[in-house]
């Protein structure tokens, strides 16, 4: 148990470092979103390849995967420590003046990125809820045995994994989408998937919806991290990354309790709860967008008067 707890502690550190590096290395929102999607795609590939590699290594003993993980992580850490600093110092120096000029507010607080933290919390709460309840939902709603449900659930996991990798690759290489476009595509895809999930009577349609789940997660993760950090000064990027990681951890703690509790009342309640959550996010970000548009109009009118 202590080892598992330690793993959770150390897994949070690279995530914070990665987000901090990306947000200080790149200035433009699209570059940040594309880079986070690129790392997300690599992470998704690792999630797919990891179990397969573990299965092969188990032929050499139950501890073989653990030793392999230690060796791989040690080699990567050495490469990062000795290769990263020399290349990043020059890059950071070149952009430091731009970042400091664009972000002069030293009073940045968690309130200024609270909307994006709420998005992140809702996103990971949805991920936890869907992952925990889908296996039981397939058995109960479609009246299947445990073995049949396990097969269909594994197929759902494969579908969402492929959709996630493909969409993240598209975002990182080809799609020049802003943070708000990623936000709305992700929220609408997730809402559509949840709504049809509780309405359909066909298992194949239910499985097909996992393509939308993959698209939603691929869009919302970079929207969440980039949106939270876009207005923060360079000196606050590490703290913002810590807030994002803490938000994710909080959803992983509360998600299982909430989702299993709702499922005990009714098998569809977790999905309806997530639908209400997505509806609230749509209203919230719509109000933010309207407020920003009004502010731009007032600024333009003031400029015209001064001119």
């Amino acid at each position: 148990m202590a080892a598992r707890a330690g793993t959770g502690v150390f897994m949070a550190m690279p995530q914070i470092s990665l987000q901090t590096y990306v947000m200080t290395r790149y200035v433009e929102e699209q570059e940040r979103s594309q880079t986070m999607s690129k790392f997300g795609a690599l992470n998704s590939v690792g999630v797919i390849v990891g179990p397969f590699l573990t299965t092969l290594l188990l032929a050499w003993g139950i501890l073989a995967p653990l030793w392999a993980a230690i060796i791989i992580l040690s080699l990567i850490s050495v490469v990062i420590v000795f290769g990263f600093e020399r290349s990043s110092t020059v890059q950071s120096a070149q952009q430091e003046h731009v970042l400091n000029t664009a972000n002069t507010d030293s009073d940045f607080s968690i309130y200024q990125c609270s909307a994006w933290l709420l998005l992140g919390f809702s996103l990971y709460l949805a991920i936890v809820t869907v992952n925990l309840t889908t296996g039981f939902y397939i058995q109960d709603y479609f009246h299947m045995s445990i073995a049949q449900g396990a097969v269909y659930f594994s197929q759902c996991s494969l579908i969402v994994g492929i959709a996630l990798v493909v969409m993240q690759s598209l975002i990182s290489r080809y799609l020049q989408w802003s943070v708000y476009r990623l936000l709305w595509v992700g929220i609408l895809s997730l809402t559509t998937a949840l709504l049809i999930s509780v309405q359909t009577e066909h298992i194949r349609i239910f499985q097909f919806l996992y393509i939308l789940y993959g698209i939603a997660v691929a869009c919302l993760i970079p929207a969440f991290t980039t949106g939270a950090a876009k207005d923060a000064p360079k000196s606050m990027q590490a703290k913002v990354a810590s807030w994002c990681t803490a938000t994710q951890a909080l959803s992983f703690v509360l998600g299982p309790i909430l989702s299993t509790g709702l499922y005990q009342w009714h098998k569809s309640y977790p999905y309806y709860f997530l639908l209400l959550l997505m509806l609230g996010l749509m209203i919230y970000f719509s109000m933010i967008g309207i407020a920003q548009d009004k502010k731009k109009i007032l600024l333009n009118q003031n400029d015209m008067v001064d001119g």
Side-chain angles (χ1 to χ4, degrees):
M1 292 179 64
R4 293 294 297 176
T7 301
V9 171
F10 288 110
M11 285 180 64
M13 295 179 182
Q15 183 173 344
I16 295 173
S17 300
L18 172 62
Q19 183 175 334
T20 303
Y21 167 71
V22 172
M23 299 309 162
T24 55
R25 171 66 175 82
Y26 299 97
V27 179
E28 297 295 330
E29 287 184 9
Q30 291 183 353
E31 290 181 328
R32 290 176 169 181
S33 300
Q34 288 178 323
T35 306
M36 292 301 295
S37 296
K38 184 186 300 181
F39 285 116
L42 293 173
N43 180 77
S44 300
V45 171
V47 171
I48 296 173
V49 174
F52 174 73
L53 182 61
T54 300
T55 303
L56 296 179
L57 291 174
L58 284 174
W60 283 274
I62 193 171
L63 294 179
L66 297 178
W67 283 111
I70 292 172
I71 294 172
I72 293 173
L73 290 175
S74 298
L75 292 175
I76 293 176
S77 299
V78 170
V79 172
I80 291 176
V81 169
F82 291 99
F84 170 79
E85 291 296 337
R86 289 192 293 271
S87 61
S88 64
T89 301
V90 177
Q91 295 168 349
S92 297
Q94 291 175 346
Q95 299 191 31
E96 184 175 1
H97 176 70
V98 177
L99 289 169
N100 288 336
T101 302
N103 302 292
T104 58
D105 185 6
S106 60
D107 297 327
F108 186 84
S109 66
I110 192 172
Y111 174 77
Q112 294 171 263
C113 61
S114 58
W116 299 102
L117 295 178
L118 178 61
L119 171 67
F121 177 78
S122 303
L123 168 63
Y124 286 105
L125 193 66
I127 293 174
V128 171
T129 300
V130 172
N131 284 338
L132 285 179
T133 60
T134 296
F136 301 108
Y137 186 84
I138 291 175
Q139 295 177 37
D140 297 337
Y141 188 79
F142 296 101
H143 307 291
M144 294 184 178
S145 65
I146 296 177
Q148 289 176 317
V151 171
Y152 282 108
F153 177 67
S154 63
Q155 292 173 353
C156 291
S157 300
L158 178 62
I159 292 171
V160 73
I162 295 173
L164 184 59
V165 172
V166 171
M167 190 62 188
Q168 287 173 326
S169 300
L170 290 175
I171 294 173
S172 64
R173 293 180 62 86
Y174 303 109
L175 301 179
Q176 304 290 328
W177 285 359
S178 66
V179 172
Y180 283 98
R181 176 171 291 186
L182 290 171
L183 168 72
W184 285 109
V185 170
I187 288 181
L188 292 175
S189 298
L190 184 54
T191 303
T192 303
L194 291 169
L195 184 61
I196 300 178
S197 292
V198 295
Q199 299 295 328
T200 184
E201 299 289 339
H202 304 284
I203 183 62
R204 293 303 178 186
I205 296 177
F206 184 86
Q207 289 183 304
F208 176 79
L209 295 174
Y210 272 73
I211 297 177
L212 293 180
Y213 284 127
I215 293 173
V217 173
C219 291
L220 291 178
I221 288 179
F224 159 51
T225 53
T226 304
K230 66 186 180 71
D231 295 325
K234 181 179 179 181
S235 60
M236 291 290 294
Q237 291 297 336
K239 183 173 289 188
V240 173
S242 299
W243 292 338
C244 292
T245 305
T247 300
Q248 178 182 346
L250 182 62
S251 65
F252 286 161
V253 173
L254 297 180
I257 300 173
L258 186 61
S259 59
T260 54
L262 290 172
Y263 193 88
Q264 289 178 355
W265 285 347
H266 193 278
K267 55 182 174 291
S268 297
Y269 280 2
Y271 294 91
Y272 285 121
F273 169 74
L274 293 178
L275 279 170
L276 291 175
L277 196 59
M278 293 302 111
L279 179 61
L281 286 175
M282 284 191 283
I283 295 173
Y284 186 37
F285 278 98
S286 296
M287 294 174 62
I288 292 177
I290 293 173
Q292 290 178 344
D293 291 340
K294 288 183 177 179
K295 185 176 180 180
K296 289 180 181 178
I297 293 174
L298 290 176
L299 289 174
N300 291 332
Q301 290 177 347
N302 292 334
D303 291 339
M304 294 177 62
V305 172
D306 294 338

